[in-house]
Amino acid sequence: MEVGFLGLGIMGKAMATNLIKSGFKVTVWNRTLSKCNELVELGASIGETPAAVVKKCKLIIAMLSDPAATLLVVFDKDGVLEEICSGKGYIDMSTVDPETSTKISQAITAKGGSFLEAPVSGSKQPAEAGQLVILAAGHKALYDLAIPAFDVMGKKSFFLGEIGNGAKMKLVVNMIMGSMMNAFSEGLVLAERSGLNPSNLLDVLDLGGIANPMFRGKGPGMLKGNHSPAFPLKHQQKDMRLALALGDENAVSMPVAAAANEAFKKARSMGLGDLDFSAVYEIVKMQKD
Ligand SMILES: NC(=O)C1=CN([C@@H]2O[C@H](COP(=O)(O)OP(=O)(O)OC[C@H]3O[C@@H](n4cnc5c(N)ncnc54)[C@H](OP(=O)(O)O)[C@@H]3O)[C@@H](O)[C@H]2O)C=CC1
Ligand SMILES: O=CC(=O)O
């Protein structure tokens, strides 16, 4: 089956590459079209617009930055909606809020197409290794059809029921992750300022009950000031904002997440949005005596 892929950022490039390497025929599109060239060298074709990709393919996957981008790619001129029709399935794997996903789902299904939201947990390295966790919801028949592609991109897929549930699950997970990153950053700074060696803290954490791949993977780089982007901080702040809105809607008080969001906002305002979300550590470190 010919698969269309819209969005070749950090995640999309890795996911589309794995599809091509596993034998899928893939047609790609990216807003900055030059980013398609690397994929073409691996065997992909280029679609000049999202509509052109949808016209050519029965299954189309999107991996875009945020709600604004996902809505533009569907509803704008030369967008997905112009060519979507019965017999075609659209899968949005971007992290967005349930409202955005619902809006897209309604528009796609009104034109006879089928829709699945399928955000992922796992960053650049899991995307490259085909080890993502896929959080799908929506049209079950489309989910079943997409399983061979999901099996290439991920290590486990969940079908979570109605549209919105995939988005909500992803936002809850990333709300926890963003809060953890802030607590971790504060711990590293507290260790150093109180006279401890923060590298020793990493070793101690890794042997105890709160050991986890994020602390293990990011800690040593953070101490060296290396925040080359795997998960851009601007996207983590977007996820905190969307998770807090979900908290508002459900009357769930989340003071820890709200404080973490403020730190990410401050980091963005200081120009750190394109660095990895671990760069929030630099904001905590900037505090003086
Ligand atoms: N990186 C990570 O670790 C993870 C990211 N995610 C989520 O996956 C999604 C993609 O993340 P990631 O690949 O890191 O992000 P990147 O910032 O690397 O890529 C974003 C993509 O969206 C495109 N885009 C942005 N704005 C627009 C627009 N207005 N119109 C059309 N296309 C647009 C970009 O195009 P262009 O190249 O032209 O800028 C690019 O293809 C996000 O929702 C993120 O939250 C989920 C799990 C992990
Ligand atoms: O959304 C980011 C991730 O690491 O998952």
Side-chain angles (χ1 to χ4, degrees), residues 188-283:
L188 291 174
V189 173
L190 178 61
E192 194 186 358
R193 296 277 168 93
S194 61
L196 296 172
N197 180 343
S199 294
N200 289 345
L201 172 64
L202 295 183
D203 293 339
V204 172
L205 285 174
D206 202 34
L207 290 167
I210 58 167
N212 69 72
M214 183 174 86
F215 293 176
R216 189 178 310 130
K218 293 199 187 278
M222 287 167 69
L223 293 180
K224 290 186 195 128
N226 176 3
H227 305 292
S228 71
F231 181 36
L233 187 144
K234 64 186 175 192
H235 296 333
Q236 172 68 83
Q237 197 268 314
K238 171 252 309 175
D239 295 350
M240 296 306 284
R241 171 168 49 86
L242 299 179
L244 286 166
L246 193 60
D248 283 355
E249 234 173 84
N250 290 281
V252 178
S253 170
M254 302 193 295
V256 175
N261 185 43
E262 289 304 315
F264 287 122
K265 272 161 63 180
K266 187 163 182 197
R268 268 187 66 194
S269 78
M270 299 192 65
L272 306 183
D274 289 327
L275 295 180
D276 192 71
F277 76 120
S278 63
V280 75
Y281 169 63
E282 302 299 333
I283 298 299

Side-chain angles (χ1 to χ4, degrees), residues 10-11 30-32 35 63-65 95 122-123 230 235 238:
I10 292 172
M11 297 297 284
N30 194 66
R31 177 181 61 173
T32 310
K35 287 196 192 167
M63 191 54 164
L64 300 157
S65 52
T95 305
S123 194
H235 296 333
K238 171 252 309 175

Side-chain angles (χ1 to χ4, degrees), residues 48-60:
E48 292 290 323
T49 62
V53 174
V54 178
K55 187 170 185 181
K56 193 170 168 202
C57 305
K58 284 201 163 142
L59 184 67
I60 304 96

Side-chain angles (χ1 to χ4, degrees), residues 114-177:
S114 46
F115 179 73
L116 199 67
E117 60 178 10
V120 301
S121 187
S123 194
K124 183 178 184 223
Q125 196 274 332
E128 288 169 349
Q131 292 289 302
L132 296 168
V133 179
I134 295 169
L135 307 170
H139 200 260
K140 179 65 165 63
L142 179 55
Y143 174 78
D144 293 337
L145 185 75
I147 286 290
F150 286 168
D151 284 348
V152 165
M153 295 185 283
K155 62 179 175 186
K156 171 84 182 165
S157 300
F158 291 86
F159 182 75
L160 299 169
E162 65 184 39
I163 284 292
N165 287 350
K168 289 177 197 169
M169 183 66 83
K170 175 61 185 163
L171 293 178
V172 172
V173 170
N174 274 29
M175 181 273 284
I176 296 169
M177 187 171 79

